[in-house]
Amino acid sequence: MRGIHSAVDDIRRNVFTEVAKIAYEGGDYSRVDLIPYKIVPGEDSQYRSNVFLARAIVQERVRLACGLPLQPADVRAPASAGIEEAASADDKFFEEPLVNVISFACNACPTKRIRVTDSCQGCMSHPCQAVCPRDAIYLDEMKHSHIDQSKCIKCGRCVNQCPYHAISNLERPCAAACGMDAIESDERGRAKINYDKCVSCGMCLVNCPFAAIADKSQIFQIIHAMKRHDGVIACVAPAFVNQFGKGASPAKLKAAMRSCGFADVVEVAVGADLCTIEEAEDFLEKVPAEQPFMGTSCCPAWSMMAKKLFPDFKDYISMALTPMVITARMVKKEHPDARICFIGPCAAKKLEANRKSIRSDVDYVLTFEELQGMFDAKEIDFSQLPEDPADDFTVATGAGRGFAVGGGVAAAVVEAVKRIDPEREMLIDYGDGLRECRKMLTLAKAGKRDGYLLEGMACPGGCVAGAGTIAPVRETAVAVQKYKDGAAVQNALDSPVKGRLGDTKE
C-alpha cells in the first residue's frame, strides 16, 4: 500500500492544509467546524457508506491535527471544542496517546485467518494437509480442503505449499504492519491499540486503508508560535530529499520554509555526524569490554522496542543523543531564545521530543506530510521560488546524510571506527522493521551477535519509509544516495561542527 497515492492520502493531506490555513488566517476558530463539509462536500460520499459518517471521521482527524483528543462517539460536540486553548498554547500541548484509532471509522476487519478459497482443485497430493502440524485440514466429499479454525495455529505452512495458491492468509493491514503486535480488538471487533506494547512508529496509521488511525499533530501550535513572532528554527532530517518534488532543492526548501514563517533552517545531518562520532567512541570503549554488543540510538521506536521487550539489553543501546537532539542543542547554544521545530519522516519523534530530558531542547515536531500541508496552505510553488546558493546545505558529510536509509547509521559508524582504529574488525547487523529487529535481538540474546553493532529501524526501508513521508520509498532511497554521494568529501571526525556543543551527553 505504501507508495501508491490513494484517497486516504488525500484526506490526510487535505486536513493538514485546511487546519494550516485557519491557523495562518486567525480570527474565528469556529470555522474549524466547516472543514469536514469542505473536504466532503455535497450529499454523497465517494468512499463511505454515507456522507455523515465520512464527515464525522474527518472531524476527528481535524481534532487530532489540532493536537486535540478524540471525542467519544456518543458525545455531541463540535470539532472546535477546545480550539482556543490549542491556539494559545505555548508548549507542546498534545497529550498521549499519540497514535489513535477512530473507532467508528474502523471496518472491524477480520483478525488473522488462514482460509481455503474456491480455487482449491482437490488434488491428490494434498501437501497442505501433509504439512499442517495440528491436523487442522480436512477433506470434503469432493476431496477439497477445508480448515478447522479451532485447530489452526495460523503458521502459514499450508499457504506456502499449495501448488494452486488456493489458500490465503487474511490479516488486518494495521496488525500486519505492527511489529509490536500491539493491535488488538475491542468488544465490537474493531481495532484497538495496546499502548503497553505500542512504540508509536506509525506503521499502522499509514497501512490502514480506511483512514481509521491517525496521530496528533502540532501544526496548529507551530503556526501560532511563528505568528507570535517567536523565532522558530527548523531542523530538517536528511530524509527530506525527494519528499517535496524533484525541484525542491535545499536552497528552495529553505525559501519555502521562510515563506511559511520559519526564521531559519538547518540540516539534522550535522547532528548525525556528531552522533556517528559518539557511537563509534562508545562502541570502541564498551564492546566487548563492558557489554557483548551495542545497538544504535537513532530510531526512538527501535530503542523503545528493545527496552520494552528485552529489558536486560536497555544499557546496550547506545546512550548517544539522537541527531535530532544533538542538532537542537547546537542551535539553541547559538540561539538560546529560539524555538526548535524538528521536521522529519517520523511519528515516534513526537514522543521522543516529549520526554522530560528532551522537552527543553526540541519544542515542536512536524512530519514532512504536515509540512506539505503548510506549503499547500501558503500555495507555494517550488518552480517559482528563488534559489540562493548561499542557502545550500554544505556542512554535513555524506555519511550523516546516509542516516536516512536503512543501514546508513551502521555504515557511518563503521567508517568512523575505521578512522579511529583501522585494525578494529567491525561486525554489523541490521533490523529492517520492528519484526526483524525483534529477531535480531533474539539472536543477540542467544549469544549469536556478540561483538556486533546492531542497527534497528522501525520502518522497513529506514527513515525514508517513515509514517510522515510523502514520496515512494524506493525513489527516495535512490535520491538520498545521490545526495549523499554528492556531499563534499569531508572527514566526519574532523568536521568543523565537532566541539561546538561541548559535552552533548545528558
Side-chain angles (χ1 to χ4, degrees), residues 89-408:
D90 282 326
D91 56 14
K92 292 179 169 57
F93 185 73
F94 79 84
E95 296 180 356
E96 296 183 30
L98 173 65
V99 181
N100 298 262
V101 178
I102 304 170
S103 59
F104 55 83
C106 179
N107 190 55
C109 302
T111 54
K112 187 172 183 179
R113 174 172 294 194
I114 309 293
R115 65 175 184 175
V116 181
T117 69
D118 292 341
S119 298
C120 177
Q121 301 297 303
C123 64
M124 291 178 60
S125 62
H126 291 296
C128 55
Q129 194 175 41
V131 299
C132 180
R134 293 299 178 91
D135 294 326
I137 296 180
Y138 63 93
L139 309 179
D140 63 17
E141 64 227 14
M142 300 300 295
K143 307 304 179 185
H144 288 174
S145 297
H146 298 271
I147 298 176
D148 183 342
Q149 296 296 333
S150 66
K151 294 181 179 179
C152 178
I153 59 172
K154 304 171 181 62
C155 64
R157 295 182 186 180
C158 57
V159 177
N160 298 325
Q161 290 298 322
C162 178
Y164 298 101
H165 306 289
I167 306 178
S168 66
N169 184 352
L170 182 65
E171 187 172 10
R172 280 179 170 170
C174 57
C178 179
M180 292 295 289
D181 298 323
I183 304 294
E184 300 175 354
S185 298
D186 67 9
E187 66 280 358
R188 297 187 179 184
R190 302 171 302 193
K192 179 180 71 173
I193 298 174
N194 182 337
Y195 291 108
D196 290 334
K197 295 181 178 181
C198 178
V199 294
S200 297
C201 66
M203 287 296 98
C204 59
L205 68 90
V206 291
N207 281 282
C208 173
F210 287 93
I213 308 178
D215 62 337
K216 291 175 180 171
S217 173
Q218 295 174 310
I219 188 172
F220 201 62
Q221 288 72 35
I222 291 165
I223 293 172
H224 281 90
M226 294 189 293
K227 287 173 63 179
R228 286 192 294 268
H229 306 292
D230 292 340
V232 180
I233 297 177
C235 298
V236 181
F240 79 89
V241 181
N242 198 54
Q243 293 298 321
F244 307 103
K246 295 180 180 179
S249 64
K252 286 196 173 189
L253 181 63
K254 276 192 177 183
M257 293 179 70
R258 289 188 183 119
S259 296
C260 287
F262 290 100
D264 199 3
V265 184
V266 299
E267 65 170 329
V268 174
V270 174
D273 283 331
L274 293 170
C275 178
T276 297
I277 297 167
E278 287 192 35
E279 293 204 347
E281 291 174 347
D282 283 350
F283 184 86
L284 288 169
E285 176 186 346
K286 296 179 179 179
V287 181
E290 300 177 19
Q291 58 193 60
F293 63 86
M294 189 182 87
T296 58
S297 65
C298 181
C299 174
W302 137 258
S303 59
M304 191 183 301
M305 179 278 293
K307 292 168 185 176
K308 280 191 174 190
L309 300 184
F310 300 86
D312 293 343
F313 294 165
K314 64 182 179 64
D315 294 332
Y316 297 169
I317 305 299
S318 173
M319 294 301 292
L321 297 174
T322 64
M324 175 184 78
V325 180
I326 293 176
T327 307
R329 290 190 178 182
M330 180 174 65
V331 173
K332 281 210 170 180
K333 186 173 183 180
E334 296 183 359
H335 306 280
D337 296 328
R339 298 290 185 95
I340 303 300
C341 177
F342 172 80
I343 299 176
C346 181
K349 285 291 183 182
K350 296 177 182 181
L351 285 190
E352 181 187 351
N354 223 22
R355 295 175 189 165
K356 290 182 180 180
S357 60
I358 296 172
R359 289 177 70 94
S360 61
D361 300 312
V362 182
D363 299 281
Y364 308 103
V365 172
L366 271 183
T367 65
F368 295 137
E369 192 173 44
E370 292 162 350
L371 179 61
Q372 182 64 59
M374 294 170 68
F375 290 158
D376 291 342
K378 285 288 189 178
E379 298 182 350
I380 290 173
D381 181 354
F382 278 91
S383 67
Q384 302 301 315
L385 289 174
E387 187 166 14
D388 186 348
D391 281 338
D392 265 336
F393 293 151
T394 59
V395 180
T397 68
R401 291 171 180 173
F403 269 47
V405 294

Side-chain angles (χ1 to χ4, degrees), residues 424-503:
R424 179 65 181 265
E425 181 184 6
M426 281 288 291
L427 299 171
I428 61 172
D429 196 4
Y430 167 59
D432 192 29
L434 289 177
R435 293 195 189 280
E436 292 301 317
C437 289
R438 291 168 67 174
K439 292 178 183 178
M440 181 171 67
L441 286 180
T442 299
L443 291 172
K445 188 174 183 178
K448 296 181 179 180
R449 289 297 179 266
D450 288 357
Y452 276 67
L453 174 70
L454 305 181
E455 177 186 339
M457 284 289 177
C459 303
C463 296
V464 293
T469 55
I470 304 170
V473 176
R474 290 184 181 179
E475 289 179 16
T476 304
V478 171
V480 168
Q481 186 61 44
K482 290 181 179 178
Y483 183 60
K484 172 179 178 288
D485 293 342
V489 179
Q490 181 181 354
N491 184 343
L493 298 177
D494 297 326
S495 171
V497 298
K498 187 181 182 185
R500 289 167 65 184
L501 289 179
D503 185 5

